Amino acid sequence: MTAPRSAESIDPRPTRAALLDFFDQRARPLPWRETDDPYAIWVSEIMLQQTRVETVIPYWQRWMARFPDVEALASAREEEVLKAWEGLGYYSRARNLRKGAAVVRERFGGEVPSDPDHLREVPGIGPYTAGAVASIAFGVVTPAVDGNVRRVLSRLFDEPKPTAAWLRDRAGELVDPDRPGDFNQALMELGATVCTPTSPRCTGCPVATRCAARTAGTQEERPAPKKRAPVPHRRITLVAACRSTDDGWRVAMRRRPFDGLLGGLWEFPEWEHDADPPLAVTLPEVEHAFSHFRATYRPFLVVARGAAEGCGAAELHGTGEVSTGEPRWLPARQIDALALPVAQRRIAESVLDWLGRQSGSL
Ligand code: SF4
C-alpha cells in the first residue's frame, strides 16, 4: 500500500479555490440547492443515498409538497410515508426519516440541530449525512464523505485503499473554512460529473494540475476496487389469489413485518411448494436486483372460491396453499393506493390488467 500522503503535499488553498470556482460555474441547478431549510436539505440527502439525482428530483418535490416540515412528517402515518417513497427503494430510509422527524420534534424542539454530533442522534443520520446537513444548511466547518468524495480524494492523493479515518482526515483538512457546504458539494459534484468511476474527464477537471493520480497515470485504478462476493439469485413464486364479489374483485395481499427488508410494504404471498399452484394463470416474470441478492419473481394468479372472509389455505381450491403471513382480501381498486415495492407493483399491474380484462372494470 502506498504511504498515505498528507494534505500538506497539496496546498489546500488553491485546491479549495478551484473547487469552489467549479461549483459556482458548473454545479447543476438542483432544487434543494435553492433552499436553506435544514429539513429540506436533510430529506434530499437521505433520498440521494444510492439513488440518482434525476430520480430523486420529482420525489423530493412531491415529498416537500406533502410533508413540508418536520411536524408534518412526524405526524404522518407510516403507510402514507412509504407510499410517498414507493419506487425509491431502500425503504428503511423512509421509515427512519419519519422516526427522525419525531426525534427532532421531541428532543430538539422541532428544529433540525446544527451540531453534527446531535444530528447523529437522529435515526437514519450517519457521519456523511450529519456532515452534509451541518455544512450545507448551517455552515458548520465539517467534512462530508460520500462515495463520490471517497473516489475524488483517493485520486487527488493517489491513495489506492483509503480508510474511513484517512478520508475523514483528508476531507477535514481540505474543507473550506468560509464556505464548507459549497466546498463539500463541490467535491461531490466533481465526483458525480467529472471524476466519474470510469473514464474520468481529467482534461476538463479544475484540479487536474493538483491531482497525484493523474500525474502518476493511475486515476483509472483509484480507488482499488473492493472485492465483491458473488450476488446470490433467488427464484420466488408468488400467488395473487383473486375473488369476484358483489363489490368487485378482491385480491389477497399481506403486509411485510416492519423490521427488515421492505418492512411495512404490501406484497403478494409466497408459494412455498415445489409444484406450481394448480389452475393458475401464469403472469409475466419480474426481475429485481436488491443490494445483496437478485430475485426472479414468478407470479401466478388464482381465482379463489368460497366464503369471503380471510385468505385461508382451503380457499385456494382446497389445496392448502397461501403460505406465511396474514393475507387480507383487499379491494382490487385500492391496490394503487398501497405502498408496494417496485417488483410487486409490476406484478400488481399484471394482476389488475388481467382482472380488468375479465370484467371490464375492477
Ligand atoms: S484530474 Fe482526473 S482523476 Fe484527478 S480529480 Fe480530476 S478528474 Fe479526478
Side-chain angles (χ1 to χ4, degrees):
M1 178 171 153
T2 315
R5 299 174 51 170
S6 81
E8 283 72 49
S9 61
I10 62 166
D11 180 354
R13 286 163 304 176
T15 304
R16 288 175 191 150
L19 283 164
L20 285 169
D21 189 48
F22 161 78
F23 186 70
D24 292 339
Q25 307 292 325
R26 290 163 58 185
R28 293 163 293 177
L30 302 174
W32 46 86
R33 288 184 175 157
E34 288 159 21
T35 178
D36 55 7
D37 174 2
Y39 164 72
I41 291 165
W42 169 26
V43 171
S44 73
E45 289 296 339
I46 300 295
M47 286 188 171
L48 285 163
Q49 291 167 11
Q50 288 148 317
T51 310
R52 294 159 52 85
V53 163
E54 302 74 38
T55 307
V56 166
I57 291 173
Y59 276 93
W60 182 84
Q61 288 166 329
R62 284 195 298 268
W63 185 280
M64 292 308 299
R66 181 121 184 226
F67 312 114
D69 50 34
V70 167
E71 177 56 36
L73 181 57
S75 312
R77 285 184 304 116
E78 183 172 275
E79 179 79 26
E80 244 183 302
V81 171
L82 290 173
K83 181 66 189 164
W85 199 270
E86 184 181 292
L88 268 183
Y90 301 97
Y91 291 85
S92 58
R93 294 182 296 169
R95 287 194 301 276
N96 278 333
L97 254 181
R98 177 171 163 273
K99 277 189 217 155
V103 167
V104 168
R105 180 172 67 183
E106 277 132 41
R107 204 176 302 166
F108 299 104
E111 303 288 334
V112 176
S114 59
D115 181 329
D117 289 337
H118 290 160
L119 282 162
R120 293 284 304 276
E121 294 172 25
V122 176
I125 296 191
Y128 162 74
T129 308
V133 173
S135 63
I136 297 169
F138 298 105
V140 176
V141 184
T142 189
V145 179
D146 70 351
N148 281 322
V149 172
R150 175 178 182 272
R151 183 170 60 257
V152 172
L153 292 177
S154 162
R155 288 172 176 171
L156 269 179
F157 292 93
D158 197 22
E159 169 53 52
K161 292 183 180 169
T163 63
W166 182 89
L167 287 163
R168 196 176 53 242
D169 289 350
R170 297 293 84 73
E173 288 157 355
L174 267 181
V175 65
D176 188 90
D178 298 320
R179 298 175 60 192
D182 288 348
F183 177 84
N184 286 336
Q185 290 184 88
L187 270 183
M188 296 177 212
E189 188 76 4
L190 189 78
T193 62
V194 178
C195 194
T196 45
T198 51
S199 311
R201 291 186 268 281
C202 300
T203 46
C205 176
V207 289
T209 56
R210 300 179 175 83
C211 177
R214 192 191 187 211
T215 304
T218 52
Q219 61 268 39
E220 297 266 8
E221 296 143 41
R222 301 286 180 264
K226 290 178 180 168
K227 283 205 184 87
R228 290 190 194 281
V231 181
H233 178 226
R234 290 177 57 198
R235 287 178 74 77
I236 301 169
T237 303
L238 300 180
V239 172
C242 304
R243 156 180 290 139
S244 179
T245 72
D246 293 344
D247 191 29
W249 285 99
R250 288 189 174 244
V251 181
M253 297 189 74
R254 68 181 178 187
R255 204 165 180 200
R256 292 180 65 89
F258 287 101
D259 48 347
L261 183 71
L262 308 172
L265 275 73
W266 288 84
E267 65 179 6
F268 295 100
E270 275 186 45
W271 176 271
E272 294 172 345
H273 302 265
D274 292 339
D276 290 344
L279 302 174
V281 177
T282 307
L283 299 174
E285 290 189 353
V286 172
E287 302 280 343
H288 190 75
F290 291 94
S291 55
H292 53 295
F293 72 96
R294 267 186 325 113
T296 301
Y297 291 100
R298 303 173 60 237
F300 291 91
L301 185 151
V302 175
V303 176
R305 304 192 185 107
E309 295 80 35
C311 183
E315 293 182 283
L316 289 183
H317 305 280
T319 47
E321 297 72 20
V322 172
S323 58
T324 57
E326 294 176 13
R328 291 164 53 184
W329 287 108
L330 304 173
R333 57 181 173 278
Q334 287 181 10
I335 291 177
D336 273 350
L338 300 176
L340 265 59
V342 170
Q344 299 279 339
R345 173 63 66 200
R346 286 175 58 196
I347 295 163
E349 283 164 6
S350 298
V351 171
L352 296 177
D353 183 52
W354 189 90
L355 296 178
R357 278 188 275 121
Q358 305 313 299
S359 59
S361 73
L362 298 176

PDB file of all heavy atoms in Angstrom, residues 152 155-156 190 194-195 200-202 205 207-208 211 214 219, ligand 1:
ATOM      1  N   VAL A 152     -12.827  10.886  -5.354  1.00  0.00           N
ATOM      2  CA  VAL A 152     -12.050  12.077  -5.710  1.00  0.00           C
ATOM      3  C   VAL A 152     -10.812  12.183  -4.818  1.00  0.00           C
ATOM      4  O   VAL A 152      -9.698  12.419  -5.306  1.00  0.00           O
ATOM      5  CB  VAL A 152     -12.919  13.356  -5.577  1.00  0.00           C
ATOM      6  CG1 VAL A 152     -12.050  14.601  -5.749  1.00  0.00           C
ATOM      7  CG2 VAL A 152     -14.046  13.357  -6.607  1.00  0.00           C
ATOM      8  N   ARG A 155      -8.118   9.746  -5.598  1.00  0.00           N
ATOM      9  CA  ARG A 155      -7.358  10.105  -6.796  1.00  0.00           C
ATOM     10  C   ARG A 155      -6.488  11.334  -6.562  1.00  0.00           C
ATOM     11  O   ARG A 155      -5.324  11.368  -6.999  1.00  0.00           O
ATOM     12  CB  ARG A 155      -8.334  10.332  -7.960  1.00  0.00           C
ATOM     13  CG  ARG A 155      -8.943   9.022  -8.443  1.00  0.00           C
ATOM     14  CD  ARG A 155     -10.050   9.239  -9.441  1.00  0.00           C
ATOM     15  NE  ARG A 155     -10.542   7.954  -9.964  1.00  0.00           N
ATOM     16  CZ  ARG A 155     -11.619   7.830 -10.726  1.00  0.00           C
ATOM     17  NH1 ARG A 155     -12.329   8.895 -11.072  1.00  0.00           N
ATOM     18  NH2 ARG A 155     -11.996   6.653 -11.163  1.00  0.00           N
ATOM     19  N   LEU A 156      -7.052  12.326  -5.901  1.00  0.00           N
ATOM     20  CA  LEU A 156      -6.249  13.541  -5.661  1.00  0.00           C
ATOM     21  C   LEU A 156      -4.946  13.205  -4.948  1.00  0.00           C
ATOM     22  O   LEU A 156      -3.902  13.782  -5.229  1.00  0.00           O
ATOM     23  CB  LEU A 156      -7.040  14.523  -4.790  1.00  0.00           C
ATOM     24  CG  LEU A 156      -7.911  15.568  -5.468  1.00  0.00           C
ATOM     25  CD1 LEU A 156      -8.619  16.411  -4.419  1.00  0.00           C
ATOM     26  CD2 LEU A 156      -7.078  16.444  -6.394  1.00  0.00           C
ATOM     27  N   LEU A 190     -17.960  17.203  -8.335  1.00  0.00           N
ATOM     28  CA  LEU A 190     -16.828  16.810  -9.187  1.00  0.00           C
ATOM     29  C   LEU A 190     -16.861  15.296  -9.400  1.00  0.00           C
ATOM     30  O   LEU A 190     -16.683  14.804 -10.519  1.00  0.00           O
ATOM     31  CB  LEU A 190     -15.512  17.231  -8.545  1.00  0.00           C
ATOM     32  CG  LEU A 190     -14.294  17.056  -9.454  1.00  0.00           C
ATOM     33  CD1 LEU A 190     -14.223  18.183 -10.481  1.00  0.00           C
ATOM     34  CD2 LEU A 190     -12.993  17.006  -8.660  1.00  0.00           C
ATOM     35  N   VAL A 194     -17.471  14.798 -13.223  1.00  0.00           N
ATOM     36  CA  VAL A 194     -16.156  14.888 -13.905  1.00  0.00           C
ATOM     37  C   VAL A 194     -15.267  13.692 -13.519  1.00  0.00           C
ATOM     38  O   VAL A 194     -14.800  12.949 -14.375  1.00  0.00           O
ATOM     39  CB  VAL A 194     -15.435  16.214 -13.550  1.00  0.00           C
ATOM     40  CG1 VAL A 194     -14.062  16.272 -14.220  1.00  0.00           C
ATOM     41  CG2 VAL A 194     -16.272  17.417 -13.955  1.00  0.00           C
ATOM     42  N   CYS A 195     -15.079  13.516 -12.227  1.00  0.00           N
ATOM     43  CA  CYS A 195     -14.187  12.461 -11.734  1.00  0.00           C
ATOM     44  C   CYS A 195     -15.018  11.189 -11.522  1.00  0.00           C
ATOM     45  O   CYS A 195     -15.168  10.681 -10.424  1.00  0.00           O
ATOM     46  CB  CYS A 195     -13.526  12.917 -10.432  1.00  0.00           C
ATOM     47  SG  CYS A 195     -12.143  11.885  -9.949  1.00  0.00           S
ATOM     48  N   PRO A 200     -12.604   9.065 -16.046  1.00  0.00           N
ATOM     49  CA  PRO A 200     -12.705  10.436 -15.514  1.00  0.00           C
ATOM     50  C   PRO A 200     -12.254  11.458 -16.564  1.00  0.00           C
ATOM     51  O   PRO A 200     -11.315  11.200 -17.320  1.00  0.00           O
ATOM     52  CB  PRO A 200     -11.755  10.412 -14.309  1.00  0.00           C
ATOM     53  CG  PRO A 200     -10.853   9.249 -14.523  1.00  0.00           C
ATOM     54  CD  PRO A 200     -11.640   8.240 -15.298  1.00  0.00           C
ATOM     55  N   ARG A 201     -12.952  12.585 -16.609  1.00  0.00           N
ATOM     56  CA  ARG A 201     -12.659  13.596 -17.630  1.00  0.00           C
ATOM     57  C   ARG A 201     -11.591  14.569 -17.108  1.00  0.00           C
ATOM     58  O   ARG A 201     -11.869  15.729 -16.791  1.00  0.00           O
ATOM     59  CB  ARG A 201     -13.943  14.331 -17.986  1.00  0.00           C
ATOM     60  CG  ARG A 201     -14.922  13.428 -18.730  1.00  0.00           C
ATOM     61  CD  ARG A 201     -16.130  14.187 -19.204  1.00  0.00           C
ATOM     62  NE  ARG A 201     -17.219  14.156 -18.244  1.00  0.00           N
ATOM     63  CZ  ARG A 201     -18.053  13.136 -18.061  1.00  0.00           C
ATOM     64  NH1 ARG A 201     -17.901  12.027 -18.774  1.00  0.00           N
ATOM     65  NH2 ARG A 201     -19.020  13.195 -17.174  1.00  0.00           N
ATOM     66  N   CYS A 202     -10.373  14.064 -17.023  1.00  0.00           N
ATOM     67  CA  CYS A 202      -9.303  14.836 -16.389  1.00  0.00           C
ATOM     68  C   CYS A 202      -8.988  16.125 -17.152  1.00  0.00           C
ATOM     69  O   CYS A 202      -8.594  17.124 -16.544  1.00  0.00           O
ATOM     70  CB  CYS A 202      -8.039  13.983 -16.286  1.00  0.00           C
ATOM     71  SG  CYS A 202      -8.294  12.484 -15.300  1.00  0.00           S
ATOM     72  N   CYS A 205     -10.941  18.927 -15.805  1.00  0.00           N
ATOM     73  CA  CYS A 205     -11.050  18.915 -14.342  1.00  0.00           C
ATOM     74  C   CYS A 205     -10.373  20.148 -13.734  1.00  0.00           C
ATOM     75  O   CYS A 205      -9.224  20.454 -14.070  1.00  0.00           O
ATOM     76  CB  CYS A 205     -10.391  17.643 -13.793  1.00  0.00           C
ATOM     77  SG  CYS A 205     -10.373  17.606 -11.989  1.00  0.00           S
ATOM     78  N   VAL A 207      -9.080  20.561 -10.892  1.00  0.00           N
ATOM     79  CA  VAL A 207      -7.923  20.290 -10.019  1.00  0.00           C
ATOM     80  C   VAL A 207      -6.928  19.338 -10.687  1.00  0.00           C
ATOM     81  O   VAL A 207      -6.120  18.697 -10.017  1.00  0.00           O
ATOM     82  CB  VAL A 207      -8.374  19.740  -8.636  1.00  0.00           C
ATOM     83  CG1 VAL A 207      -9.031  20.837  -7.815  1.00  0.00           C
ATOM     84  CG2 VAL A 207      -9.318  18.545  -8.776  1.00  0.00           C
ATOM     85  N   ALA A 208      -6.979  19.281 -12.018  1.00  0.00           N
ATOM     86  CA  ALA A 208      -6.126  18.326 -12.746  1.00  0.00           C
ATOM     87  C   ALA A 208      -4.648  18.555 -12.430  1.00  0.00           C
ATOM     88  O   ALA A 208      -3.890  17.600 -12.254  1.00  0.00           O
ATOM     89  CB  ALA A 208      -6.373  18.429 -14.241  1.00  0.00           C
ATOM     90  N   CYS A 211      -3.619  16.918  -9.085  1.00  0.00           N
ATOM     91  CA  CYS A 211      -4.097  15.556  -8.845  1.00  0.00           C
ATOM     92  C   CYS A 211      -2.945  14.552  -8.961  1.00  0.00           C
ATOM     93  O   CYS A 211      -2.370  14.365 -10.035  1.00  0.00           O
ATOM     94  CB  CYS A 211      -5.191  15.218  -9.852  1.00  0.00           C
ATOM     95  SG  CYS A 211      -5.774  13.528  -9.675  1.00  0.00           S
ATOM     96  N   ARG A 214      -3.547  11.614 -11.425  1.00  0.00           N
ATOM     97  CA  ARG A 214      -3.415  11.996 -12.832  1.00  0.00           C
ATOM     98  C   ARG A 214      -1.930  12.100 -13.196  1.00  0.00           C
ATOM     99  O   ARG A 214      -1.502  11.644 -14.266  1.00  0.00           O
ATOM    100  CB  ARG A 214      -4.115  13.319 -13.100  1.00  0.00           C
ATOM    101  CG  ARG A 214      -4.191  13.511 -14.589  1.00  0.00           C
ATOM    102  CD  ARG A 214      -4.617  14.842 -15.030  1.00  0.00           C
ATOM    103  NE  ARG A 214      -4.786  14.787 -16.478  1.00  0.00           N
ATOM    104  CZ  ARG A 214      -4.574  15.811 -17.250  1.00  0.00           C
ATOM    105  NH1 ARG A 214      -4.245  16.974 -16.746  1.00  0.00           N
ATOM    106  NH2 ARG A 214      -4.732  15.675 -18.558  1.00  0.00           N
ATOM    107  N   GLN A 219      -5.242   7.201 -12.382  1.00  0.00           N
ATOM    108  CA  GLN A 219      -6.601   7.622 -11.999  1.00  0.00           C
ATOM    109  C   GLN A 219      -7.655   6.531 -12.209  1.00  0.00           C
ATOM    110  O   GLN A 219      -8.584   6.414 -11.421  1.00  0.00           O
ATOM    111  CB  GLN A 219      -7.001   8.927 -12.718  1.00  0.00           C
ATOM    112  CG  GLN A 219      -7.046   8.884 -14.211  1.00  0.00           C
ATOM    113  CD  GLN A 219      -5.714   9.301 -14.832  1.00  0.00           C
ATOM    114  OE1 GLN A 219      -4.649   8.949 -14.320  1.00  0.00           O
ATOM    115  NE2 GLN A 219      -5.772  10.008 -15.937  1.00  0.00           N
TER     116      GLN A 219
HETATM  117  S1  SF4 B   1      -7.632  15.057 -12.590  1.00  0.00           S
HETATM  118 FE1  SF4 B   1      -8.882  13.327 -13.170  1.00  0.00          FE
HETATM  119  S2  SF4 B   1      -8.580  11.809 -11.565  1.00  0.00           S
HETATM  120 FE2  SF4 B   1      -7.854  13.763 -10.789  1.00  0.00          FE
HETATM  121  S3  SF4 B   1      -9.565  14.632  -9.665  1.00  0.00           S
HETATM  122 FE3  SF4 B   1      -9.657  15.436 -11.745  1.00  0.00          FE
HETATM  123  S4  SF4 B   1     -10.982  14.031 -12.902  1.00  0.00           S
HETATM  124 FE4  SF4 B   1     -10.380  13.012 -10.989  1.00  0.00          FE
END
